[in-house]
Amino acid sequence: MARIGEDTFHWERAVLDDPRPGEVLVRLVATGLCHTDLSVLSGRLPTPLPAVLGHEGAGIVEAVGPDVTDVATGDRVVLSFNSCGDCTSCRTGRPTACGTYFPLNFRAARPDGTTPIRTQDGTPLGGLFFGQSSLARHAVVSAQSVVRVDVADDDGLALLAPVGCGIQTGAGAILNLLRPQYGDSVAVFGAGAVGLSAIMAARLTAARTIVAVDVVPSRLALAGELGATHTINSKEEDLGRRLAELAGPGGLTYVVETTGVPSLLEFAATAVAGNGTVAVIGAPSAGSRASFDINALIDGRTIRGVTEGGSDRTTFIPALIDLARQGRLPYERFLRFYAEDQLHQAVMDAKSGVTIKPVIRFSDVATGDDR
Ligand code: CXF
Ligand code: ZN
């Protein structure tokens, strides 16, 4: 539960409705923490509080709404972002371009303004954040957010939780959108979960040069192990000069900006080659601005916003799981599991950067008691 003015999440007993048409009741096995949850908690992103947050859930279907046919009770599922399922973008496999993407994911309510969660005294609480509000033992989620996965047991399922946002966001930016070719150079700003996923994905392509940029030596070392051909500590080195050296005469083809620091985005726009693209992934506080030399953009540069890796979650999430099982996307290297009663520690470790991807592991409690 996230409440205004509090700097961490806390557990609270709440009441959950039965799933309506288009909804699914899920018992969560694990949920990853994403920096977007923390940004909402601190008021930097506009989801109204109080609300149940969490948008990297994995769990087991306990009930489905009247018209839901894609999943059934007992299915193991990964939860991802929400979309309407009905607009042209959704019907053509581009759900991140859904016309109602932002309200459906950030409003923490159904389109009619209602929510499936209330306090024990009946006060409505924000729910369906990213279609799921999965920092909870149970969640009524949007059927659009549900991706059925083939996995043997709950421990295996828990490992898949962060694929629903962080891993898919970084890997998708590379594999779905930028698609580097032989000779291309890719710089990834920020070696957190999203940046490291972009680096692992870039290693799956023919990109010649993959540069990780961060200020934390341990993250840069991990980036090197996961596929970066070079690393730059931007606190200690001249970022512009080093990037230019590493990219060579063709210039830097791609920057994947995951930090959300506006000055770094402005810098990326100057560092990328004339025909290059800056993928904008890191989200600063709502209303933040950056400025560019317009003539440099006319030169051919592209500044491209990317959400959830531009993924068609129903095909891309199983593909990422398959790559992970082959050992080609070893994101488990940067996960750390926390028990429910360690939630505050998980939040602190995410904020300090000690843990790159905290995942809350829910205890296997008796069905029904905690709804
Ligand atoms: C979000 C980040 C903020 C902008 C929209 C997408 N992704 C998930 O954490
Ligand atoms: Zn996220």
PDB file of all heavy atoms in Angstrom, residues 41-79:
ATOM      1  N   LEU A  41       5.233   6.644  -5.489  1.00  0.00           N
ATOM      2  CA  LEU A  41       5.198   6.777  -4.026  1.00  0.00           C
ATOM      3  C   LEU A  41       5.649   8.174  -3.590  1.00  0.00           C
ATOM      4  O   LEU A  41       5.085   8.775  -2.680  1.00  0.00           O
ATOM      5  CB  LEU A  41       6.111   5.703  -3.413  1.00  0.00           C
ATOM      6  CG  LEU A  41       6.265   5.677  -1.905  1.00  0.00           C
ATOM      7  CD1 LEU A  41       4.935   5.332  -1.238  1.00  0.00           C
ATOM      8  CD2 LEU A  41       7.340   4.665  -1.497  1.00  0.00           C
ATOM      9  N   SER A  42       6.664   8.698  -4.271  1.00  0.00           N
ATOM     10  CA  SER A  42       7.197  10.001  -3.864  1.00  0.00           C
ATOM     11  C   SER A  42       6.488  11.159  -4.560  1.00  0.00           C
ATOM     12  O   SER A  42       6.913  12.300  -4.416  1.00  0.00           O
ATOM     13  CB  SER A  42       8.695  10.045  -4.161  1.00  0.00           C
ATOM     14  OG  SER A  42       8.888   9.974  -5.554  1.00  0.00           O
ATOM     15  N   GLY A  43       5.451  10.871  -5.335  1.00  0.00           N
ATOM     16  CA  GLY A  43       4.674  11.939  -5.964  1.00  0.00           C
ATOM     17  C   GLY A  43       5.282  12.479  -7.241  1.00  0.00           C
ATOM     18  O   GLY A  43       4.815  13.481  -7.784  1.00  0.00           O
ATOM     19  N   ARG A  44       6.335  11.827  -7.765  1.00  0.00           N
ATOM     20  CA  ARG A  44       6.970  12.340  -8.988  1.00  0.00           C
ATOM     21  C   ARG A  44       6.203  11.934 -10.247  1.00  0.00           C
ATOM     22  O   ARG A  44       6.383  12.506 -11.303  1.00  0.00           O
ATOM     23  CB  ARG A  44       8.421  11.868  -9.077  1.00  0.00           C
ATOM     24  CG  ARG A  44       9.355  12.715  -8.218  1.00  0.00           C
ATOM     25  CD  ARG A  44      10.757  12.164  -8.198  1.00  0.00           C
ATOM     26  NE  ARG A  44      10.836  11.006  -7.342  1.00  0.00           N
ATOM     27  CZ  ARG A  44      11.605   9.943  -7.547  1.00  0.00           C
ATOM     28  NH1 ARG A  44      12.374   9.897  -8.625  1.00  0.00           N
ATOM     29  NH2 ARG A  44      11.623   8.942  -6.707  1.00  0.00           N
ATOM     30  N   LEU A  45       5.379  10.916 -10.148  1.00  0.00           N
ATOM     31  CA  LEU A  45       4.517  10.513 -11.266  1.00  0.00           C
ATOM     32  C   LEU A  45       3.069  10.570 -10.768  1.00  0.00           C
ATOM     33  O   LEU A  45       2.813  10.391  -9.571  1.00  0.00           O
ATOM     34  CB  LEU A  45       4.899   9.115 -11.775  1.00  0.00           C
ATOM     35  CG  LEU A  45       6.260   9.031 -12.508  1.00  0.00           C
ATOM     36  CD1 LEU A  45       6.619   7.590 -12.838  1.00  0.00           C
ATOM     37  CD2 LEU A  45       6.266   9.873 -13.780  1.00  0.00           C
ATOM     38  N   PRO A  46       2.129  10.813 -11.689  1.00  0.00           N
ATOM     39  CA  PRO A  46       0.821  11.335 -11.255  1.00  0.00           C
ATOM     40  C   PRO A  46      -0.251  10.347 -10.798  1.00  0.00           C
ATOM     41  O   PRO A  46      -1.412  10.710 -10.747  1.00  0.00           O
ATOM     42  CB  PRO A  46       0.348  12.065 -12.528  1.00  0.00           C
ATOM     43  CG  PRO A  46       0.958  11.306 -13.646  1.00  0.00           C
ATOM     44  CD  PRO A  46       2.276  10.783 -13.147  1.00  0.00           C
ATOM     45  N   THR A  47       0.063   9.125 -10.430  1.00  0.00           N
ATOM     46  CA  THR A  47      -0.975   8.212  -9.934  1.00  0.00           C
ATOM     47  C   THR A  47      -1.524   8.712  -8.593  1.00  0.00           C
ATOM     48  O   THR A  47      -0.745   8.984  -7.673  1.00  0.00           O
ATOM     49  CB  THR A  47      -0.383   6.799  -9.752  1.00  0.00           C
ATOM     50  OG1 THR A  47       0.073   6.350 -11.012  1.00  0.00           O
ATOM     51  CG2 THR A  47      -1.409   5.829  -9.187  1.00  0.00           C
ATOM     52  N   PRO A  48      -2.857   8.845  -8.482  1.00  0.00           N
ATOM     53  CA  PRO A  48      -3.417   9.306  -7.197  1.00  0.00           C
ATOM     54  C   PRO A  48      -3.211   8.280  -6.088  1.00  0.00           C
ATOM     55  O   PRO A  48      -3.358   7.082  -6.316  1.00  0.00           O
ATOM     56  CB  PRO A  48      -4.921   9.466  -7.491  1.00  0.00           C
ATOM     57  CG  PRO A  48      -5.118   9.249  -8.946  1.00  0.00           C
ATOM     58  CD  PRO A  48      -3.898   8.579  -9.496  1.00  0.00           C
ATOM     59  N   LEU A  49      -2.867   8.757  -4.902  1.00  0.00           N
ATOM     60  CA  LEU A  49      -2.707   7.890  -3.723  1.00  0.00           C
ATOM     61  C   LEU A  49      -3.832   8.216  -2.740  1.00  0.00           C
ATOM     62  O   LEU A  49      -4.368   9.319  -2.780  1.00  0.00           O
ATOM     63  CB  LEU A  49      -1.330   8.132  -3.081  1.00  0.00           C
ATOM     64  CG  LEU A  49      -0.112   7.816  -3.964  1.00  0.00           C
ATOM     65  CD1 LEU A  49       1.181   8.121  -3.202  1.00  0.00           C
ATOM     66  CD2 LEU A  49      -0.132   6.373  -4.453  1.00  0.00           C
ATOM     67  N   PRO A  50      -4.193   7.295  -1.873  1.00  0.00           N
ATOM     68  CA  PRO A  50      -3.594   5.991  -1.627  1.00  0.00           C
ATOM     69  C   PRO A  50      -3.950   4.983  -2.717  1.00  0.00           C
ATOM     70  O   PRO A  50      -5.025   5.045  -3.306  1.00  0.00           O
ATOM     71  CB  PRO A  50      -4.197   5.562  -0.289  1.00  0.00           C
ATOM     72  CG  PRO A  50      -5.528   6.260  -0.252  1.00  0.00           C
ATOM     73  CD  PRO A  50      -5.319   7.565  -0.959  1.00  0.00           C
ATOM     74  N   ALA A  51      -3.009   4.081  -2.938  1.00  0.00           N
ATOM     75  CA  ALA A  51      -3.220   3.052  -3.952  1.00  0.00           C
ATOM     76  C   ALA A  51      -2.328   1.855  -3.637  1.00  0.00           C
ATOM     77  O   ALA A  51      -1.310   1.993  -2.952  1.00  0.00           O
ATOM     78  CB  ALA A  51      -2.871   3.597  -5.336  1.00  0.00           C
ATOM     79  N   VAL A  52      -2.722   0.727  -4.141  1.00  0.00           N
ATOM     80  CA  VAL A  52      -1.834  -0.430  -4.136  1.00  0.00           C
ATOM     81  C   VAL A  52      -1.030  -0.358  -5.429  1.00  0.00           C
ATOM     82  O   VAL A  52      -1.612  -0.271  -6.520  1.00  0.00           O
ATOM     83  CB  VAL A  52      -2.642  -1.757  -4.070  1.00  0.00           C
ATOM     84  CG1 VAL A  52      -1.698  -2.953  -4.139  1.00  0.00           C
ATOM     85  CG2 VAL A  52      -3.463  -1.800  -2.788  1.00  0.00           C
ATOM     86  N   LEU A  53       0.284  -0.347  -5.308  1.00  0.00           N
ATOM     87  CA  LEU A  53       1.130  -0.260  -6.508  1.00  0.00           C
ATOM     88  C   LEU A  53       1.662  -1.654  -6.849  1.00  0.00           C
ATOM     89  O   LEU A  53       1.105  -2.658  -6.444  1.00  0.00           O
ATOM     90  CB  LEU A  53       2.255   0.751  -6.291  1.00  0.00           C
ATOM     91  CG  LEU A  53       1.778   2.169  -5.944  1.00  0.00           C
ATOM     92  CD1 LEU A  53       2.956   3.134  -5.819  1.00  0.00           C
ATOM     93  CD2 LEU A  53       0.807   2.695  -7.007  1.00  0.00           C
ATOM     94  N   GLY A  54       2.767  -1.711  -7.583  1.00  0.00           N
ATOM     95  CA  GLY A  54       3.322  -3.001  -8.014  1.00  0.00           C
ATOM     96  C   GLY A  54       2.862  -3.318  -9.427  1.00  0.00           C
ATOM     97  O   GLY A  54       1.660  -3.317  -9.709  1.00  0.00           O
ATOM     98  N   HIS A  55       3.849  -3.529 -10.315  1.00  0.00           N
ATOM     99  CA  HIS A  55       3.455  -3.825 -11.705  1.00  0.00           C
ATOM    100  C   HIS A  55       4.413  -4.816 -12.359  1.00  0.00           C
ATOM    101  O   HIS A  55       4.593  -4.802 -13.573  1.00  0.00           O
ATOM    102  CB  HIS A  55       3.330  -2.525 -12.511  1.00  0.00           C
ATOM    103  CG  HIS A  55       4.602  -1.745 -12.640  1.00  0.00           C
ATOM    104  ND1 HIS A  55       5.124  -1.005 -11.610  1.00  0.00           N
ATOM    105  CD2 HIS A  55       5.437  -1.583 -13.678  1.00  0.00           C
ATOM    106  CE1 HIS A  55       6.227  -0.438 -12.009  1.00  0.00           C
ATOM    107  NE2 HIS A  55       6.461  -0.778 -13.260  1.00  0.00           N
ATOM    108  N   GLU A  56       5.028  -5.662 -11.527  1.00  0.00           N
ATOM    109  CA  GLU A  56       5.845  -6.763 -12.067  1.00  0.00           C
ATOM    110  C   GLU A  56       5.438  -8.040 -11.344  1.00  0.00           C
ATOM    111  O   GLU A  56       6.254  -8.718 -10.733  1.00  0.00           O
ATOM    112  CB  GLU A  56       7.338  -6.482 -11.857  1.00  0.00           C
ATOM    113  CG  GLU A  56       7.885  -5.351 -12.700  1.00  0.00           C
ATOM    114  CD  GLU A  56       9.404  -5.196 -12.584  1.00  0.00           C
ATOM    115  OE1 GLU A  56      10.004  -5.796 -11.674  1.00  0.00           O
ATOM    116  OE2 GLU A  56       9.984  -4.469 -13.417  1.00  0.00           O
ATOM    117  N   GLY A  57       4.148  -8.371 -11.427  1.00  0.00           N
ATOM    118  CA  GLY A  57       3.641  -9.517 -10.685  1.00  0.00           C
ATOM    119  C   GLY A  57       3.750 -10.821 -11.453  1.00  0.00           C
ATOM    120  O   GLY A  57       3.777 -10.845 -12.685  1.00  0.00           O
ATOM    121  N   ALA A  58       3.828 -11.908 -10.684  1.00  0.00           N
ATOM    122  CA  ALA A  58       3.736 -13.250 -11.258  1.00  0.00           C
ATOM    123  C   ALA A  58       2.936 -14.077 -10.264  1.00  0.00           C
ATOM    124  O   ALA A  58       3.160 -13.995  -9.057  1.00  0.00           O
ATOM    125  CB  ALA A  58       5.125 -13.847 -11.455  1.00  0.00           C
ATOM    126  N   GLY A  59       1.991 -14.857 -10.761  1.00  0.00           N
ATOM    127  CA  GLY A  59       1.160 -15.602  -9.823  1.00  0.00           C
ATOM    128  C   GLY A  59       0.294 -16.638 -10.504  1.00  0.00           C
ATOM    129  O   GLY A  59       0.549 -17.042 -11.649  1.00  0.00           O
ATOM    130  N   ILE A  60      -0.721 -17.053  -9.764  1.00  0.00           N
ATOM    131  CA  ILE A  60      -1.579 -18.150 -10.218  1.00  0.00           C
ATOM    132  C   ILE A  60      -3.020 -17.668 -10.252  1.00  0.00           C
ATOM    133  O   ILE A  60      -3.506 -17.043  -9.296  1.00  0.00           O
ATOM    134  CB  ILE A  60      -1.423 -19.351  -9.262  1.00  0.00           C
ATOM    135  CG1 ILE A  60       0.039 -19.818  -9.312  1.00  0.00           C
ATOM    136  CG2 ILE A  60      -2.365 -20.480  -9.646  1.00  0.00           C
ATOM    137  CD1 ILE A  60       0.438 -20.778  -8.252  1.00  0.00           C
ATOM    138  N   VAL A  61      -3.690 -17.966 -11.364  1.00  0.00           N
ATOM    139  CA  VAL A  61      -5.075 -17.533 -11.528  1.00  0.00           C
ATOM    140  C   VAL A  61      -5.968 -18.303 -10.554  1.00  0.00           C
ATOM    141  O   VAL A  61      -5.927 -19.531 -10.495  1.00  0.00           O
ATOM    142  CB  VAL A  61      -5.536 -17.769 -12.991  1.00  0.00           C
ATOM    143  CG1 VAL A  61      -7.027 -17.479 -13.133  1.00  0.00           C
ATOM    144  CG2 VAL A  61      -4.709 -16.910 -13.948  1.00  0.00           C
ATOM    145  N   GLU A  62      -6.765 -17.521  -9.796  1.00  0.00           N
ATOM    146  CA  GLU A  62      -7.705 -18.170  -8.863  1.00  0.00           C
ATOM    147  C   GLU A  62      -9.143 -18.086  -9.341  1.00  0.00           C
ATOM    148  O   GLU A  62      -9.976 -18.891  -8.929  1.00  0.00           O
ATOM    149  CB  GLU A  62      -7.582 -17.554  -7.467  1.00  0.00           C
ATOM    150  CG  GLU A  62      -6.306 -17.964  -6.766  1.00  0.00           C
ATOM    151  CD  GLU A  62      -6.392 -17.883  -5.245  1.00  0.00           C
ATOM    152  OE1 GLU A  62      -7.242 -17.149  -4.718  1.00  0.00           O
ATOM    153  OE2 GLU A  62      -5.570 -18.562  -4.591  1.00  0.00           O
ATOM    154  N   ALA A  63      -9.452 -17.103 -10.174  1.00  0.00           N
ATOM    155  CA  ALA A  63     -10.812 -16.985 -10.715  1.00  0.00           C
ATOM    156  C   ALA A  63     -10.755 -16.048 -11.919  1.00  0.00           C
ATOM    157  O   ALA A  63      -9.867 -15.193 -11.999  1.00  0.00           O
ATOM    158  CB  ALA A  63     -11.762 -16.419  -9.660  1.00  0.00           C
ATOM    159  N   VAL A  64     -11.678 -16.223 -12.838  1.00  0.00           N
ATOM    160  CA  VAL A  64     -11.729 -15.316 -13.989  1.00  0.00           C
ATOM    161  C   VAL A  64     -13.107 -14.678 -14.070  1.00  0.00           C
ATOM    162  O   VAL A  64     -14.108 -15.265 -13.645  1.00  0.00           O
ATOM    163  CB  VAL A  64     -11.393 -16.041 -15.321  1.00  0.00           C
ATOM    164  CG1 VAL A  64      -9.982 -16.603 -15.286  1.00  0.00           C
ATOM    165  CG2 VAL A  64     -12.405 -17.111 -15.648  1.00  0.00           C
ATOM    166  N   GLY A  65     -13.146 -13.449 -14.617  1.00  0.00           N
ATOM    167  CA  GLY A  65     -14.398 -12.742 -14.819  1.00  0.00           C
ATOM    168  C   GLY A  65     -15.239 -13.460 -15.874  1.00  0.00           C
ATOM    169  O   GLY A  65     -14.733 -14.330 -16.600  1.00  0.00           O
ATOM    170  N   PRO A  66     -16.520 -13.089 -15.979  1.00  0.00           N
ATOM    171  CA  PRO A  66     -17.483 -13.811 -16.807  1.00  0.00           C
ATOM    172  C   PRO A  66     -17.063 -14.072 -18.256  1.00  0.00           C
ATOM    173  O   PRO A  66     -17.344 -15.135 -18.780  1.00  0.00           O
ATOM    174  CB  PRO A  66     -18.714 -12.891 -16.774  1.00  0.00           C
ATOM    175  CG  PRO A  66     -18.569 -12.082 -15.535  1.00  0.00           C
ATOM    176  CD  PRO A  66     -17.113 -11.981 -15.224  1.00  0.00           C
ATOM    177  N   ASP A  67     -16.384 -13.125 -18.900  1.00  0.00           N
ATOM    178  CA  ASP A  67     -16.117 -13.299 -20.339  1.00  0.00           C
ATOM    179  C   ASP A  67     -14.657 -13.668 -20.638  1.00  0.00           C
ATOM    180  O   ASP A  67     -14.220 -13.599 -21.778  1.00  0.00           O
ATOM    181  CB  ASP A  67     -16.450 -11.993 -21.070  1.00  0.00           C
ATOM    182  CG  ASP A  67     -15.606 -10.848 -20.528  1.00  0.00           C
ATOM    183  OD1 ASP A  67     -14.970 -11.015 -19.449  1.00  0.00           O
ATOM    184  OD2 ASP A  67     -15.554  -9.789 -21.167  1.00  0.00           O
ATOM    185  N   VAL A  68     -13.882 -14.022 -19.619  1.00  0.00           N
ATOM    186  CA  VAL A  68     -12.442 -14.226 -19.837  1.00  0.00           C
ATOM    187  C   VAL A  68     -12.190 -15.664 -20.296  1.00  0.00           C
ATOM    188  O   VAL A  68     -12.564 -16.617 -19.601  1.00  0.00           O
ATOM    189  CB  VAL A  68     -11.633 -13.920 -18.559  1.00  0.00           C
ATOM    190  CG1 VAL A  68     -10.160 -14.265 -18.743  1.00  0.00           C
ATOM    191  CG2 VAL A  68     -11.794 -12.451 -18.180  1.00  0.00           C
ATOM    192  N   THR A  69     -11.564 -15.798 -21.466  1.00  0.00           N
ATOM    193  CA  THR A  69     -11.341 -17.147 -22.021  1.00  0.00           C
ATOM    194  C   THR A  69      -9.856 -17.469 -22.231  1.00  0.00           C
ATOM    195  O   THR A  69      -9.510 -18.629 -22.422  1.00  0.00           O
ATOM    196  CB  THR A  69     -12.056 -17.287 -23.385  1.00  0.00           C
ATOM    197  OG1 THR A  69     -11.642 -16.188 -24.211  1.00  0.00           O
ATOM    198  CG2 THR A  69     -13.568 -17.260 -23.222  1.00  0.00           C
ATOM    199  N   ASP A  70      -8.987 -16.445 -22.205  1.00  0.00           N
ATOM    200  CA  ASP A  70      -7.565 -16.688 -22.504  1.00  0.00           C
ATOM    201  C   ASP A  70      -6.843 -17.438 -21.393  1.00  0.00           C
ATOM    202  O   ASP A  70      -5.845 -18.109 -21.647  1.00  0.00           O
ATOM    203  CB  ASP A  70      -6.818 -15.359 -22.736  1.00  0.00           C
ATOM    204  CG  ASP A  70      -7.216 -14.733 -24.056  1.00  0.00           C
ATOM    205  OD1 ASP A  70      -7.910 -15.415 -24.838  1.00  0.00           O
ATOM    206  OD2 ASP A  70      -6.841 -13.576 -24.293  1.00  0.00           O
ATOM    207  N   VAL A  71      -7.298 -17.268 -20.163  1.00  0.00           N
ATOM    208  CA  VAL A  71      -6.674 -17.971 -19.031  1.00  0.00           C
ATOM    209  C   VAL A  71      -7.756 -18.613 -18.186  1.00  0.00           C
ATOM    210  O   VAL A  71      -8.920 -18.221 -18.242  1.00  0.00           O
ATOM    211  CB  VAL A  71      -5.825 -17.023 -18.141  1.00  0.00           C
ATOM    212  CG1 VAL A  71      -4.553 -16.617 -18.829  1.00  0.00           C
ATOM    213  CG2 VAL A  71      -6.623 -15.820 -17.679  1.00  0.00           C
ATOM    214  N   ALA A  72      -7.339 -19.611 -17.400  1.00  0.00           N
ATOM    215  CA  ALA A  72      -8.292 -20.333 -16.559  1.00  0.00           C
ATOM    216  C   ALA A  72      -7.703 -20.517 -15.171  1.00  0.00           C
ATOM    217  O   ALA A  72      -6.484 -20.376 -14.965  1.00  0.00           O
ATOM    218  CB  ALA A  72      -8.602 -21.689 -17.194  1.00  0.00           C
ATOM    219  N   THR A  73      -8.548 -20.850 -14.236  1.00  0.00           N
ATOM    220  CA  THR A  73      -8.119 -21.099 -12.861  1.00  0.00           C
ATOM    221  C   THR A  73      -6.976 -22.110 -12.839  1.00  0.00           C
ATOM    222  O   THR A  73      -7.032 -23.124 -13.531  1.00  0.00           O
ATOM    223  CB  THR A  73      -9.321 -21.643 -12.053  1.00  0.00           C
ATOM    224  OG1 THR A  73     -10.360 -20.676 -12.133  1.00  0.00           O
ATOM    225  CG2 THR A  73      -8.949 -21.876 -10.600  1.00  0.00           C
ATOM    226  N   GLY A  74      -5.936 -21.784 -12.091  1.00  0.00           N
ATOM    227  CA  GLY A  74      -4.781 -22.680 -11.976  1.00  0.00           C
ATOM    228  C   GLY A  74      -3.640 -22.323 -12.914  1.00  0.00           C
ATOM    229  O   GLY A  74      -2.513 -22.797 -12.722  1.00  0.00           O
ATOM    230  N   ASP A  75      -3.910 -21.496 -13.917  1.00  0.00           N
ATOM    231  CA  ASP A  75      -2.827 -21.103 -14.840  1.00  0.00           C
ATOM    232  C   ASP A  75      -1.772 -20.269 -14.104  1.00  0.00           C
ATOM    233  O   ASP A  75      -2.112 -19.414 -13.273  1.00  0.00           O
ATOM    234  CB  ASP A  75      -3.363 -20.250 -15.997  1.00  0.00           C
ATOM    235  CG  ASP A  75      -4.075 -21.095 -17.048  1.00  0.00           C
ATOM    236  OD1 ASP A  75      -4.003 -22.334 -16.978  1.00  0.00           O
ATOM    237  OD2 ASP A  75      -4.711 -20.486 -17.935  1.00  0.00           O
ATOM    238  N   ARG A  76      -0.510 -20.500 -14.456  1.00  0.00           N
ATOM    239  CA  ARG A  76       0.562 -19.623 -13.955  1.00  0.00           C
ATOM    240  C   ARG A  76       0.712 -18.462 -14.942  1.00  0.00           C
ATOM    241  O   ARG A  76       0.746 -18.699 -16.163  1.00  0.00           O
ATOM    242  CB  ARG A  76       1.863 -20.404 -13.817  1.00  0.00           C
ATOM    243  CG  ARG A  76       1.802 -21.416 -12.677  1.00  0.00           C
ATOM    244  CD  ARG A  76       3.197 -21.920 -12.300  1.00  0.00           C
ATOM    245  NE  ARG A  76       3.173 -22.555 -10.993  1.00  0.00           N
ATOM    246  CZ  ARG A  76       3.091 -23.881 -10.809  1.00  0.00           C
ATOM    247  NH1 ARG A  76       3.057 -24.697 -11.848  1.00  0.00           N
ATOM    248  NH2 ARG A  76       3.063 -24.378  -9.593  1.00  0.00           N
ATOM    249  N   VAL A  77       0.816 -17.248 -14.402  1.00  0.00           N
ATOM    250  CA  VAL A  77       0.823 -16.069 -15.266  1.00  0.00           C
ATOM    251  C   VAL A  77       1.864 -15.043 -14.830  1.00  0.00           C
ATOM    252  O   VAL A  77       2.187 -14.933 -13.648  1.00  0.00           O
ATOM    253  CB  VAL A  77      -0.575 -15.378 -15.296  1.00  0.00           C
ATOM    254  CG1 VAL A  77      -1.608 -16.269 -15.971  1.00  0.00           C
ATOM    255  CG2 VAL A  77      -1.047 -14.979 -13.904  1.00  0.00           C
ATOM    256  N   VAL A  78       2.375 -14.322 -15.821  1.00  0.00           N
ATOM    257  CA  VAL A  78       3.175 -13.121 -15.580  1.00  0.00           C
ATOM    258  C   VAL A  78       2.265 -11.942 -15.895  1.00  0.00           C
ATOM    259  O   VAL A  78       1.489 -11.987 -16.858  1.00  0.00           O
ATOM    260  CB  VAL A  78       4.430 -13.120 -16.492  1.00  0.00           C
ATOM    261  CG1 VAL A  78       5.079 -11.746 -16.528  1.00  0.00           C
ATOM    262  CG2 VAL A  78       5.437 -14.158 -15.995  1.00  0.00           C
ATOM    263  N   LEU A  79       2.347 -10.893 -15.068  1.00  0.00           N
ATOM    264  CA  LEU A  79       1.508  -9.712 -15.287  1.00  0.00           C
ATOM    265  C   LEU A  79       2.347  -8.602 -15.899  1.00  0.00           C
ATOM    266  O   LEU A  79       3.489  -8.377 -15.498  1.00  0.00           O
ATOM    267  CB  LEU A  79       0.898  -9.252 -13.960  1.00  0.00           C
ATOM    268  CG  LEU A  79       0.088 -10.330 -13.222  1.00  0.00           C
ATOM    269  CD1 LEU A  79      -0.411  -9.806 -11.889  1.00  0.00           C
ATOM    270  CD2 LEU A  79      -1.078 -10.813 -14.081  1.00  0.00           C
TER     271      LEU A  79
END
